[in-house]
Amino acid sequence: MRKLLLSGFLAIATIAGLSAQKAGYDPVKAPFGHGEDSVKCRMNLSLMTTSAKAENYKEALTPWNAVYENCPASSRNIYILGPRIFKSLYASETDAAKKKQYLDKTMEIYDTRLKYYSDDKKGTVLAYKAYDYMELMGDKADSKIVYQWLGEALKEMKSEMEPKDAYSYYMVASLTQFLTDPSKKNQYISDYFTVAGYVDEAISKANAANDKANADYLGLVKEGIVKAFVSSGAGDCKTLTDYYADKVEPNKADKAFLNEVINALGSVGCSESDLYFTASEYLYKLEPSAGAAIGLANKSLRDKDYDTAIKYYHEGAQLETDKNKASDYMMQLAGIFSNQRNFAKSRQAAYDALEFNPNNGEAYILIAQLYAASAQNIFPETEKRGLVFCAAVDKLQKARSVDPSVSGKANGLINTYSGYFMDTETAFMMGIKAGESVFVPGWIGESTTVRLK
């Protein structure tokens, strides 16, 4: 019992007040102190580190307190291990007042770290401070505090934010405030576009560095943020149009703002509104860009000016720095041609999409569907239409080989199209053998391998 009481007194003494340094302590020239103080500092650092790494946090507490008070600039381990010690104390404590003291001390440690290690990334330190706050407070965490700390972190780090999921936590805090107080809607909308811009830039940097793992992870972060925004009620077409309606004209010479408007409206399926077209026209005049070109392409489609739409789709793809997006633009064009039943032009647009992204399985699937849609009219003998489906299956097999994500769709179509292959008897009567190569005429104009059912 006496040992427990002594341990409790030490814990309370540890968290009482700010770090009280010895008079004359010089964190730059003598971070360990001088003489005997230096020896004690190094000894306590060793004791603290050994105990903390063994997760014996009660034993780590006394030496940690000694170095935190007497030589706080001697090691980053003070600030790495400190939160672990106090979070452990917090978890095992039942007294609410003491828990509050442990929480406050944990938060203080991060502020002290920034004082003595100003070259550390402030945004990262603040993010982990917010994370520990959320961990300790649980459902009682104040979203305003999380919003403040992570907002400061993001302002500092922008597209370089580490940890990367801080983008998500910040947007959750912003959304929580909006849902609690509807007057914060504009704040939430503004936060959304700012953070989405940071994440997009971070993804571009990861792709440029061939860092697929981080690019994919950031993509998941962005997807979650977008889904929350769209489902929040703040991000519908009417709301965003109202939000930007009186802002476009005064900012028609601001490229960054016009890009924001185009991306915002496009993200909620509002790319056929007059405001979207107006912003696209202003932006295109200032500087032709992928977003502006696609906006003008959409306007041309609305006006049924297909030749102009085609021109802008091609230009948008050429201007787009993200090859996947450029590929998607050409797939949109391919879809337009397909709806017009202009199969040859649709296929060409799909092949153009593959030039930008050779692993776009949807492009091969579309080509297969184009072949299937025209199967009845390729051969003079309708019995040979099964050969067209063979050519379609070739494309479906290619689709799943370059893009595993479309395997399910491709396999479903293969099962369907296989039912239209020539039967063995008909093939025999027409002198066609399984496994041989045949030429499919007409606009398809390519060879395929005979498959029979």
Side-chain angles (χ1 to χ4, degrees):
M1 176 64 72
R2 186 176 179 183
K3 287 180 70 178
L4 286 173
L5 286 172
L6 179 59
S7 175
F9 288 140
L10 283 171
I12 293 171
T14 300
I15 63 174
L18 293 173
S19 174
Q21 301 162 23
K22 277 198 167 187
Y25 175 71
D26 189 334
V28 177
K29 295 182 179 179
F32 294 93
H34 297 280
E36 184 64 24
D37 289 339
S38 175
V39 174
K40 289 181 179 178
C41 179
R42 295 175 192 276
M43 180 186 69
N44 281 316
L45 280 172
S46 177
L47 291 171
M48 172 198 74
T49 303
T50 301
S51 297
K53 286 187 175 179
E55 297 186 6
N56 191 344
Y57 295 121
K58 286 186 178 179
E59 283 193 13
L61 179 61
T62 298
W64 179 90
N65 184 51
V67 293
Y68 185 70
E69 290 189 350
N70 298 308
C71 49
S74 58
S75 172
R76 278 187 175 82
N77 277 343
I78 298 170
Y79 307 100
I80 294 171
L81 300 176
R84 298 182 194 176
I85 293 170
F86 285 96
K87 286 196 293 180
S88 174
L89 292 172
Y90 182 97
S92 60
E93 183 57 68
T94 57
D95 181 80
K98 289 180 181 178
K99 289 179 82 74
K100 175 67 164 56
Q101 289 176 322
Y102 295 147
L103 168 68
D104 291 345
K105 194 66 177 183
T106 304
M107 300 300 99
E108 176 199 304
I109 291 169
Y110 286 101
D111 297 333
T112 307
R113 174 174 181 169
L114 290 173
K115 176 181 176 182
Y116 290 106
Y117 290 93
S118 57
D119 56 335
D120 283 354
K121 291 182 177 179
K122 182 179 179 182
T124 297
V125 174
L126 287 174
Y128 284 120
K129 177 182 178 181
Y131 283 16
D132 278 354
Y133 171 77
M134 290 188 288
E135 178 185 340
L136 295 178
M137 292 298 290
D139 293 339
K140 296 179 181 178
D142 187 339
S143 65
K144 292 179 182 177
I145 292 175
V146 177
Y147 180 79
Q148 177 188 337
W149 289 343
L150 290 182
E152 191 175 345
L154 287 173
K155 185 177 181 181
E156 180 88 11
M157 303 291 284
K158 297 181 172 60
S159 64
E160 302 289 338
M161 190 67 225
E162 291 288 347
K164 293 176 175 59
D165 54 2
Y167 296 118
S168 294
Y169 285 114
Y170 176 71
M171 287 309 303
V172 168
S174 182
L175 175 58
T176 301
Q177 292 189 74
F178 159 56
L179 295 176
T180 304
D181 179 2
S183 71
K184 298 288 181 66
K185 181 164 75 171
N186 283 354
Q187 172 185 285
Y188 175 58
I189 292 173
S190 179
D191 289 339
Y192 169 77
F193 294 118
T194 299
V195 172
Y198 292 158
V199 178
D200 284 341
E201 187 176 346
I203 291 172
S204 294
K205 289 178 179 178
N207 284 326
N210 292 319
D211 187 353
K212 187 176 186 302
N214 271 322
D216 289 346
Y217 180 72
L218 285 163
L220 292 174
V221 168
K222 174 73 180 294
E223 182 180 345
I225 291 172
V226 171
K227 284 182 178 178
F229 179 70
V230 172
S231 63
S232 70
D236 58 76
C237 187
K238 183 180 184 305
T239 297
L240 292 184
T241 300
D242 291 344
Y243 177 76
Y244 286 116
D246 59 353
K247 296 179 175 65
V248 169
E249 191 64 28
N251 291 283
K252 62 183 181 182
D254 185 338
K255 290 185 288 187
F257 177 79
L258 294 173
N259 267 312
E260 176 185 314
V261 175
I262 291 170
N263 291 334
L265 295 175
S267 71
V268 294
C270 199
S271 57
E272 294 186 2
S273 66
D274 288 334
L275 187 66
Y276 180 90
F277 297 144
T278 299
S280 297
E281 288 174 340
Y282 282 142
L283 182 59
Y284 193 82
K285 288 176 183 177
L286 291 172
E287 179 182 67
S289 66
I294 296 304
L296 294 176
N298 290 336
K299 182 177 185 297
S300 299
L301 284 177
R302 186 191 67 173
D303 298 339
K304 298 188 178 352
D305 184 355
Y306 297 111
D307 289 340
T308 302
I310 293 166
K311 168 183 173 293
Y312 282 126
Y313 267 115
H314 280 288
E315 187 167 335
Q318 292 298 328
L319 291 168
E320 180 58 65
T321 56
D322 185 326
K323 297 301 182 185
N324 289 332
K325 283 186 179 180
S327 185
D328 289 342
Y329 294 155
M330 298 315 298
M331 285 300 293
Q332 291 175 32
L333 182 58
I336 293 167
F337 285 132
S338 175
N339 290 336
Q340 296 174 344
R341 298 191 66 79
N342 191 331
F343 298 142
K345 283 189 176 181
S346 182
R347 178 178 63 177
Q348 183 56 56
Y351 278 132
D352 289 341
L354 289 166
E355 288 293 319
F356 291 106
N357 176 15
N359 297 320
N360 189 339
E362 291 290 348
Y364 285 111
I365 286 178
L366 175 61
I367 295 171
Q369 291 172 320
L370 295 173
Y371 287 1
S374 63
Q376 198 71 26
N377 304 313
I378 296 299
F379 286 98
E381 308 95 330
T382 57
E383 295 86 354
K384 288 185 177 181
R385 70 171 186 156
L387 300 176
V388 181
F389 284 99
C390 292
V393 168
D394 290 341
K395 302 304 179 188
L396 294 170
Q397 290 176 336
K398 182 69 174 178
R400 67 186 183 185
S401 71
V402 301
D403 186 358
S405 71
V406 302
S407 292
K409 184 176 181 180
N411 288 335
L413 288 171
I414 288 172
N415 289 336
T416 299
Y417 292 171
S418 298
Y420 296 105
F421 289 165
M422 296 179 69
D423 59 66
T424 304
E425 184 178 347
T426 302
F428 176 76
M429 295 295 293
M430 302 189 78
I432 297 173
K433 298 178 182 178
E436 70 178 356
S437 178
V438 297
F439 182 77
V440 180
W443 74 272
I444 294 178
E446 61 185 49
S447 295
T448 186
T449 301
V450 175
R451 303 170 180 85
L452 302 175
K453 63 178 179 180

